[in-house]
C-alpha cells in the first residue's frame, strides 16, 4: 500500500491507494472561511445593489465592497463588522433580525439570504472577518502541483489538480474513452472535422505507446486546425460579412478572417496575436498583415440609413469596441459602467470613458463614408491597385464640396414636388426628399442634383468619375482597418451615457482596480500602449481569461463558468489552483496557444469516457468536478462540415472570399432590404461553413438554427439548444438533402456489393463505428420496405436503390451521435 497526501479545499484528505481502489479519510484540519470565494459573492449578490460601488444607488452611507468603509459602518453610527465578535456586529444583527423594518437585505428586495449564507457570514466574523481582494484582481501565482502517483491516473499537472478535487469529494474518475471515441473527439476538437476512414484504421491499429501523442501533433500541424479555432475567436470579434443595422449592406472582411486562420496555424504567440489586432497599425513600420489584423476593431456595425446622425453611430461603434475589449480580454462587463458607476464591481464611469478614449481617435465616421485611410485595397485580376481608396476619397470630397451650395436650392426642388409625384421618383430621390439637406448622404444629394439640378459639366464629370471608381471598388478586394487620426479627439464622460450631454474631459487610461499603464514620456498613451498593457506581468486577467475560454471549448464550460464576467457577480472558479497554474503555464510557454491545446488534450481528464454515471448524477450533476468528459453537440459550422465530410463532397480549400451554399427560398426577404442569394456552384458549393457568407440580419438558417451568433456583439460562449427545428433542418434542408444523396452514392460506390457491408461503411463514415445488431436489423428492414412496392388502390412503386440509400443516409446524418462529440 502506498500513501500520499493531496491538498484539498475543505477538508483535506489522506488518500490510500490499495489495489487500484481509493480509500478516503478526512483529516482533522479545516480551512477557514475564504473571503474572496465564499463571502464576497454573497455580499455582491445580496448587499451591493444598495451598499456597493455605485455611489448614486448607495443607501445609508454604508459601503460593503471596501474594507475600511465596511468596518466603519454607515450613517447609523453602529459598527457594521467587529472582527471576532459577531454579537457586537450590526451586519450579523441585521441579517438575523425578524423585524421587517430592520432585516437586511430589506424585505422588499425579494432577495433574502439563505440560512446557510447567514451562518457562513456569522462564522466568517467569528473567525476574525479576514478581508481580501476579489480573486480575479490579484495576479495569479503559480501553485504547487499536488503530488500524485501514476496509479491514480495522472498524465500531466492538469490531472493532478482534478484528481485532488475528486478525492476531496469522495469521487473516482471514469476510465479512458475507447480509442474510436477518443479519435473522433480529438479530431473534431482540434480540426473541426471527423477522422477519415484511413485515419481511423491507422490509429486503431497503431500499437505504439505514443500513438495518441503523435496523432495530436499531426492534428495541431493540420491547416484545418486554424479553421477550427478561428471560429470561436471570430465569435468574440463579432465577425460578419455585412454591415448590420436595417440596411445590412455587404462588406469585405474576409481578409481579416483569413489572417486569424493563418495566425493560429503559425501559432503566433498570443501576446503578438492580440497586439496586432488591437494596434497593428501603430507598430513601427507595420506590415500589410498587421494592418489587416486591426479588422478586429472594424467588425463593428455601420449604419448606412439616411437621416441618421453619423456621430451618434460613430460613438456607438467606439462603445462596442470598449465592450468587446472588456469581454474578450478582461472578462469584465465594462458596458455596465457606460451610464453610471458599475453597481457590483469597482469600475467607475470615468474609468469606462478613459478606456473609451483609446478607441476614440480613428478615422471611421459612423456612416461608412468619407474615411480616407480606413480601408485597404488589394490588387487583383479583377480590381485596381492600392490607390483606389485614396482616389475614391478625393473624388467624394470634391463632390461634397461641389454639392454644398445646392443646400440653398433644396427648398425650391422640394416645392416642385407633390406627394403623388414623389412616388414616381427612384427610392434614392424619394428618400432624400423626405430628409433635411443636413441629414442626406452624398449619394442622396447626387441623386437629387441629377434629377433637379439641370445640365452641369462639372457635375457630369464628377458623377462619371465617381461612378467608374465605384464600379472598380465593387470588383476590388478590400479590408476594413484601423487608422489613427493625426490629432486625437477630445474624450469626455457622457452624462448617463448620453452623447448629447458631455461632461468631464478624460484622457486615455485603464481601470484603477487593475495595474497602472505606464504612459510613455512626451505623449498620451494610445491603443498600442493599451494592447501591451494587457501583457504586463502583473496583469491578473489576460492569461486567465484566454485559458479559460480554451478550456470551455473542450469541456462545455469554463473553470470560470461566467467566462465574460470575472467580477463579483461572476461564478468563482471550480478549480482555482488549476486556473492559475494554466494561466502561469501559458506565460511560461511564451503565450503559445498550441501548447495549451496540447496540454489539455493529452491529459487523462480530457481523454476520459463521457458516459453518464448514476453516482455522479447526485454528487456532481453538472459534472463541474470532471470525473468524466462531457458530450457536446457540435458547433453549427461543424454540423455542416461533418455531413460534407461523410458525403465525400468537402472541398478542403483554405481561405478566400465567402461562398453561398444553397438555402431555402425567401430567407433573404426577411430583412428590411431584399437581397439575392445565388447558390454557389462547383467547388465553392461545398466549402467549410466557416466560409459561408454571413449576413447579420439574415444569417444562413442551417447555421443559425444550431445557435451560431449573429455578429451584432461579441460572443465569448455559444449556447447549445435542442429544438425540433434542428432535426427538421438535418432531414429536409436543401443542402443536407444534397449531402444525403452524395453519401448514398458514395456508399453504393465504395461500400461493397451487399447491404450489410454498405451499412457498415455508412456507419463508419458518419459515426466511426459499426452498427449495433438492433440498428442493423431495423435499417436493413427499412431498406427492404423501401424497395418493395406497396399494394392497394393507391399503391406506390418501389424506391430505386439510390433513393432507398438516400433515405438511410438522411437518417444517419440526423443521428444525435453524428452531430455530437462524445
Amino acid at each position: 500500500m502506498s500513501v500520499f497526501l493531496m491538498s484539498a479545499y475543505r477538508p483535506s484528505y489522506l488518500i490510500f491507494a490499495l489495489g487500484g481502489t481509493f480509500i478516503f479519510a478526512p483529516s482533522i484540519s479545516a480551512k477557514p472561511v475564504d473571503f474572496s470565494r465564499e463571502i464576497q459573492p454573497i455580499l455582491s449578490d445580496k448587499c451591493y445593489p444598495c451598499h456597493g460601488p455605485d455611489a448614486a444607488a448607495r443607501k445609508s452611507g454604508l459601503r460593503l465592497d471596501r474594507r475600511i468603509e465596511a468596518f466603519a459602518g454607515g450613517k447609523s453610527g453602529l459598527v457594521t463588522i467587529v472582527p471576532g465578535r459577531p454579537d457586537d456586529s450590526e451586519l450579523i444583527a441585521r441579517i438575523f433580525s425578524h423585524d421587517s423594518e430592520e432585516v437586511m437585505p430589506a424585505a422588499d428586495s425579494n432577495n433574502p439570504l439563505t440560512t446557510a449564507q447567514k451562518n457562513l457570514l456569522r462564522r466568517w466574523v467569528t473567525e476574525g472577518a479576514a478581508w481580501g481582494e476579489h480573486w480575479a484582481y490579484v495576479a495569479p501565482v503559480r501553485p504547487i502541483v499536488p503530488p500524485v502517483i501514476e496509479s491514480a491516473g495522472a498524465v500531466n499537472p492538469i490531472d493532478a489538480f482534478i484528481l485532488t478535487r475528486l478525492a476531496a469529494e469522495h469521487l473516482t474518475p471514469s476510465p479512458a474513452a475507447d480509442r474510436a471515441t477518443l479519435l473522433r473527439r480529438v479530431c473534431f476538437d482540434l480540426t473541426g472535422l471527423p477522422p477519415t476512414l484511413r485515419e481511423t484504421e491507422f490509429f486503431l491499429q497503431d500499437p505504439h505507446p505514443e500513438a495518441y501523442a503523435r496523432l495530436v501533433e499531426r492534428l495541431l500541424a493540420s491547416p484545418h486546425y486554424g479553421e477550427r479555432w478561428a471560429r470561436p475567436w471570430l465569435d468574440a470579434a463579432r465577425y460578419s460579412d455585412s454591415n448590420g443595422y436595417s440596411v445590412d449592406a455587404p462588406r469585405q472582411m474576409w481578409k481579416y478572417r483569413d489572417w486569424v486562420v493563418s495566425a493560429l496555424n503559425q501559432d503566433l504567440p498570443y501576446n503578438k496575436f492580440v497586439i496586432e489586432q488591437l494596434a497593428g497599425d501603430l507598430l513601427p513600420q507595420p506590415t500589410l498583415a498587421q494592418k489587416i489584423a486591426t479588422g478586429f476593431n472594424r467588425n463593428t456595425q455601420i449604419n448606412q440609413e439616411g437621416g441618421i446622425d453619423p456621430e451618434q453611430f460613430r460613438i456607438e461603434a467606439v462603445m462596442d469596441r470598449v465592450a468587446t475589449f472588456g469581454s474578450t480580454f478582461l472578462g469584465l462587463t465594462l458596458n455596465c459602467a457606460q451610464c453610471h458607476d458599475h453597481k457590483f464591481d469597482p469600475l467607475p464611469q470615468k474609468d469606462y470613458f478613459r478606456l473609451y478614449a483609446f478607441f476614440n481617435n480613428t478615422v471611421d465616421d459612423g456612416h461608412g463614408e468619407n474615411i480616407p485611410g480606413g480601408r485597404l485595397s488589394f490588387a487583383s485580376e479583377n480590381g485596381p491597385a492600392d490607390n483606389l481608396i485614396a482616389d475614391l476619397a478625393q473624388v467624394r470630397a470634391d463632390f461634397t464640396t461641389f454639392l454644398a451650395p445646392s443646400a440653398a436650392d433644396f427648398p425650391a426642388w422640394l416645392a416642385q414636388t407633390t406627394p403623388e409625384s414623389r412616388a414616381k421618383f427612384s427610392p434614392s430621390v424619394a428618400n432624400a426628399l423626405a430628409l433635411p439637406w443636413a441629414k442626406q448622404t452624398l449619394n442622396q444629394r447626387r441623386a437629387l442634383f441629377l434629377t433637379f439640378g439641370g445640365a452641369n459639366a462639372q457635375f457630369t464629370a464628377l458623377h462619371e468619375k465617381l461612378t467608374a471608381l465605384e464600379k472598380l471598388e465593387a470588383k476590388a478586394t478590400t479590408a476594413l482597418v484601423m487608422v489613427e487620426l493625426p490629432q486625437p479627439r477630445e474624450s469626455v464622460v457622457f452624462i448617463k451615457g448620453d452623447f448629447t450631454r458631455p461632461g468631464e474631459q478624460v484622457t486615455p487610461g485603464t481601470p484603477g482596480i487593475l495595474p497602472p499603464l505606464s504612459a510613455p514620456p512626451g505623449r498620451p498613451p494610445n491603443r498600442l500602449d493599451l494592447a501591451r498593457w494587457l501583457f504586463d506581468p502583473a496583469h491578473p486577467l489576460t492569461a486567465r481569461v484566454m485559458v479559460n475560454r480554451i478550456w470551455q471549448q473542450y469541456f462545455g464550460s469554463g473553470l470560470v463558468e461566467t467566462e465574460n464576467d470575472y467580477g463579483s457577480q461572476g461564478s468563482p472558479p471550480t478549480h482555482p489552483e488549476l486556473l492559475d497554474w494554466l494561466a502561469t503555464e501559458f506565460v511560461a510557454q511564451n503565450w503559445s496557444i498550441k501548447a495549451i491545446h496540447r496540454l489539455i488534450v493529452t491529459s487523462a481528464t480530457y481523454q476520459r469516457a463521457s458516459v453518464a454515471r448514476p453516482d455522479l448524477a447526485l454528487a456532481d450533476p453538472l459534472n463541474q468536478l470532471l470525473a468524466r468528459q462531457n458530450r457536446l453537440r457540435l458547433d453549427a459550422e461543424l454540423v455542416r462540415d461533418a455531413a460534407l465530410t461523410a458525403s465525400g463532397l468537402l472541398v478542403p480549400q483554405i481561405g478566400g472570399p465567402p461562398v453561398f451554399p444553397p438555402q431555402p427560398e425567401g430567407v433573404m426577404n426577411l430583412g428590411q432590404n431584399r437581397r439575392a442569394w445565388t447558390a454557389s456552384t462547383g467547388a465553392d458549393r461545398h466549402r467549410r461553413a466557416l466560409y459561408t457568407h454571413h449576413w447579420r440580419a439574415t444569417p444562413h438558417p442551417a447555421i443559425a438554427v444550431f445557435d451560431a451568433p449573429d455578429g451584432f456583439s461579441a460572443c465569448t460562449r455559444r449556447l447549445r439548444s435542442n429544438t425540433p427545428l434542428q432535426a427538421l433542418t438535418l432531414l429536409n434542408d436543401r443542402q443536407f438533402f444534397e449531402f444525403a444523396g452524395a453519401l448514398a452514392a458514395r456508399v453504393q460506390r465504395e461500400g461493397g456489393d451487399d447491404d450489410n457491408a454498405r451499412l457498415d461503411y455508412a456507419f463508419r463514415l458518419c459515426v466511426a463505428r459499426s452498427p449495433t445488431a438492433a440498428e442493423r436489423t431495423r435499417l436493413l428492414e427499412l431498406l427492404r420496405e423501401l424497395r418493395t412496392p406497396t399494394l392497394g388502390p393507391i399503391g406506390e412503386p418501389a424506391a430505386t436503390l439510390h433513393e432507398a440509400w438516400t433515405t438511410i443516409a438522411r437518417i444517419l446524418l440526423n443521428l444525435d451521435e453524428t452531430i455530437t462529440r462524445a
Side-chain angles (χ1 to χ4, degrees):
M1 178 179 73
S2 58
V3 182
F4 58 102
L5 181 64
M6 286 186 176
S7 62
Y9 281 13
R10 181 181 300 111
S12 296
Y13 288 85
L14 281 174
I15 304 173
F16 297 84
L18 181 59
T21 301
F22 286 114
I23 302 174
F24 303 90
S27 71
I28 59 173
S29 63
K31 293 183 179 180
V33 177
D34 186 303
F35 174 82
S36 177
R37 304 186 194 283
E38 297 177 277
I39 299 302
Q40 190 178 45
I42 299 175
L43 297 178
S44 175
D45 187 41
K46 307 295 184 179
C47 307
Y48 285 6
C50 298
H51 305 293
D54 186 1
R58 198 174 303 137
K59 296 181 179 179
S60 302
L62 177 61
R63 183 169 186 175
L64 293 176
D65 65 306
R66 298 201 305 205
R67 184 183 187 282
I68 294 176
E69 289 92 333
F71 281 51
K75 293 179 180 178
S76 69
L78 300 172
V79 180
T80 309
I81 301 169
V82 182
R85 294 158 53 189
D87 294 336
D88 296 328
S89 301
E90 186 66 11
L91 173 71
I92 303 303
R94 289 297 189 98
I95 66 174
F96 280 95
S97 175
H98 296 289
D99 186 336
S100 61
E101 298 295 324
E102 296 289 329
V103 68
M104 288 293 164
D108 60 4
S109 70
N110 297 315
N111 191 24
L113 289 160
T114 66
T115 299
Q117 289 172 328
K118 293 177 185 178
N119 291 336
L120 187 61
L121 286 167
R122 182 179 182 89
R123 180 181 162 199
W124 170 64
V125 174
T126 301
E127 291 178 355
W131 199 273
E133 288 287 339
H134 179 56
W135 68 269
Y137 304 142
V138 179
V141 176
R142 191 172 182 85
I144 298 173
V145 178
V148 294
I149 57 175
E150 288 188 14
S151 62
V155 174
N156 68 28
I158 288 175
D159 303 314
F161 289 105
I162 296 295
L163 288 170
T164 298
R165 182 69 190 278
L166 289 174
E169 302 293 340
H170 292 232
L171 296 173
T172 55
S174 291
D178 64 80
R179 292 195 102 191
T181 298
L182 182 59
L183 171 66
R184 194 168 185 269
R185 177 190 298 170
V186 75
C187 285
F188 271 123
D189 281 349
L190 288 182
T191 68
L193 297 172
T196 65
L197 294 181
R198 184 179 178 184
E199 287 172 330
T200 301
E201 182 178 358
F202 179 80
F203 179 69
L204 295 183
Q205 295 179 1
D206 187 354
H208 197 283
E210 295 297 314
Y212 179 71
R214 295 192 301 194
L215 168 67
V216 168
E217 293 307 316
R218 289 197 300 272
L219 295 174
L220 287 172
S222 166
H224 300 305
Y225 158 83
E227 293 177 312
R228 167 68 186 104
W229 283 92
R231 188 61 267 177
W233 185 264
L234 293 174
D235 288 356
R238 63 260 189 263
Y239 174 84
S240 184
D241 298 302
S242 70
N243 286 336
Y245 291 108
S246 59
V247 176
D248 201 33
R251 65 164 57 158
Q252 290 196 38
M253 284 300 297
W254 60 270
K255 282 285 184 179
Y256 167 73
R257 177 246 290 152
D258 286 359
W259 179 90
V260 173
V261 173
S262 175
L264 291 172
N265 275 332
Q266 296 172 38
D267 199 21
L268 186 68
Y270 185 63
N271 55 347
K272 294 182 179 179
F273 182 72
V274 170
I275 288 170
E276 291 186 13
Q277 290 182 80
L278 288 177
D281 58 306
L282 300 180
L283 290 168
Q285 298 180 327
T287 65
L288 180 63
Q290 289 169 333
K291 293 178 181 178
I292 292 171
T294 66
F296 176 87
N297 272 317
R298 292 304 309 277
N299 280 315
T300 48
Q301 297 183 74
I302 297 175
N303 193 340
Q304 295 175 297
E305 299 169 24
I308 68 165
D309 182 347
E311 178 63 6
Q312 174 187 352
F313 289 94
R314 185 194 70 80
I315 289 170
E316 291 283 350
V318 176
M319 289 179 168
D320 175 65
R321 288 164 192 159
V322 176
T324 300
F325 179 83
S327 58
T328 303
F329 303 113
L330 302 180
L332 295 177
T333 53
L334 294 178
N335 51 326
C336 292
Q338 180 178 317
C339 302
H340 49 71
D341 292 347
H342 202 293
K343 292 189 177 295
F344 300 100
D345 297 323
L347 295 169
Q349 188 188 21
K350 184 175 180 180
D351 278 4
Y352 172 90
F353 280 99
R354 294 179 72 205
L355 278 171
Y356 170 96
F358 283 109
F359 300 99
N360 193 32
N361 299 317
T362 53
V363 299
D364 45 314
D365 70 347
H367 210 317
E369 296 185 354
N370 304 321
I371 48 172
R375 179 182 282 128
L376 289 175
S377 175
F378 301 88
S380 69
E381 292 180 2
N382 299 320
D386 292 348
N387 60 357
L388 169 63
I389 299 303
D391 291 344
L392 276 166
Q394 185 60 57
V395 175
R396 284 172 174 153
D398 293 343
F399 222 145
T400 300
T401 302
F402 169 79
L403 289 171
S406 298
D409 301 323
F410 179 63
W413 295 345
L414 191 60
Q416 297 174 28
T417 68
T418 64
E420 293 76 17
S421 66
R422 292 177 197 172
K424 300 177 183 179
F425 290 123
S426 68
S428 293
V429 174
N431 290 337
L433 289 170
L435 298 171
W437 182 265
K439 297 283 187 179
Q440 294 168 11
T441 67
L442 173 59
N443 284 338
Q444 287 173 329
R445 292 176 184 175
R446 285 170 67 190
L448 284 175
F449 195 96
L450 194 63
T451 304
F452 299 102
N456 185 292
Q458 187 179 358
F459 172 86
T460 301
L462 286 169
H463 182 69
E464 290 178 352
K465 187 173 184 180
L466 184 53
T467 300
L469 287 171
E470 287 173 336
K471 288 180 179 178
L472 288 174
E473 182 185 29
K475 297 178 181 179
T477 301
T478 61
L480 295 173
V481 299
M482 296 285 275
V483 176
E484 205 81 344
L485 289 169
Q487 293 296 323
R489 289 186 179 93
E490 179 183 285
S491 293
V492 299
V493 174
F494 295 142
I495 298 172
K496 294 188 176 181
D498 184 349
F499 83 104
T500 66
R501 300 176 64 190
E504 177 186 358
Q505 184 173 350
V506 293
T507 56
T510 52
I513 194 64
L514 297 175
L517 183 150
S518 299
R523 64 167 176 82
N526 58 23
R527 276 184 290 114
L528 181 57
D529 301 311
L530 178 67
R532 288 171 171 162
W533 166 79
L534 287 171
F535 300 93
D536 184 321
H539 204 295
L541 292 169
T542 309
R544 279 176 174 148
V545 168
M546 185 55 178
V547 296
N548 187 65
R549 284 218 308 277
I550 293 174
W551 185 274
Q552 84 178 0
Q553 290 293 127
Y554 288 116
F555 297 97
S557 180
L559 296 168
V560 178
E561 184 179 8
T562 52
E563 83 298 331
N564 62 351
D565 186 3
Y566 281 55
S568 60
Q569 285 283 290
S571 302
T574 56
H575 299 76
E577 290 86 359
L578 173 56
L579 177 64
D580 284 359
W581 187 87
L582 285 170
T584 55
E585 181 67 10
F586 194 20
V587 178
Q589 292 288 342
N590 295 316
W591 299 96
S592 167
I593 299 174
K594 283 189 177 182
I596 298 301
H597 289 305
R598 182 181 296 108
L599 187 67
I600 293 175
V601 300
T602 56
S603 69
T605 303
Y606 172 81
Q607 297 177 57
R608 298 199 192 288
S610 61
V611 179
R613 289 165 40 187
D615 60 324
L616 295 178
L618 292 175
D620 185 19
L622 299 180
N623 196 32
Q624 292 182 317
L625 303 182
L626 296 174
R628 62 178 179 88
Q629 248 287 9
N630 286 314
R631 287 171 55 88
L632 302 173
R633 204 230 34 236
L634 298 176
D635 287 344
E637 295 82 0
L638 273 58
V639 172
R640 170 184 159 84
D641 295 348
L644 272 172
T645 304
S647 69
L649 294 175
L650 178 68
V651 176
Q653 177 185 337
I654 307 292
V659 297
F660 300 83
Q663 67 175 9
E665 298 292 338
V667 171
M668 299 309 297
N669 297 338
L670 299 177
Q672 177 175 307
N673 293 280
R674 297 186 177 188
R675 301 187 185 279
W677 180 283
T678 303
S680 298
T681 58
D684 283 352
R685 190 179 184 89
H686 300 132
R687 301 281 306 284
R688 293 193 70 170
L690 176 69
Y691 303 112
T692 297
H693 191 285
H694 182 268
W695 297 96
R696 282 185 163 102
T698 50
H700 195 293
I703 301 299
V705 74
F706 286 102
D707 310 305
D710 52 26
F712 287 113
S713 59
C715 173
T716 51
R717 178 178 58 166
R718 293 190 180 189
L719 301 177
R720 282 186 170 91
S721 65
N722 188 354
T723 71
L725 191 56
Q726 294 167 350
L728 291 171
T729 296
L730 294 175
L731 197 63
N732 299 319
D733 180 81
R734 285 179 58 190
Q735 60 178 336
F736 281 96
F737 194 88
E738 185 177 312
F739 302 158
L743 175 58
R746 184 181 184 187
V747 167
Q748 294 172 78
R749 185 175 63 250
E750 304 172 4
D753 297 327
D754 66 89
D755 288 344
N756 262 303
R758 288 172 176 170
L759 195 59
D760 272 327
Y761 193 71
F763 263 79
R764 284 161 52 209
L765 287 172
C766 292
V767 293
R769 65 171 177 84
S770 295
T772 64
E775 290 168 337
R776 185 185 302 277
T777 299
R778 182 67 190 92
L779 290 175
L780 290 176
E781 180 184 346
L782 176 60
L783 269 173
R784 286 191 294 271
E785 291 175 359
L786 291 169
R787 295 168 65 184
T788 302
T790 60
L791 304 176
I794 312 179
E796 294 186 5
T800 66
L801 183 64
H802 178 71
E803 289 171 342
W805 274 104
T806 297
T807 298
I808 299 299
R810 293 170 73 194
I811 292 171
L812 294 183
L813 293 179
N814 211 331
L815 290 177
D816 179 68
E817 188 177 351
T818 302
I819 64 168
T820 299
R821 183 280 253 165

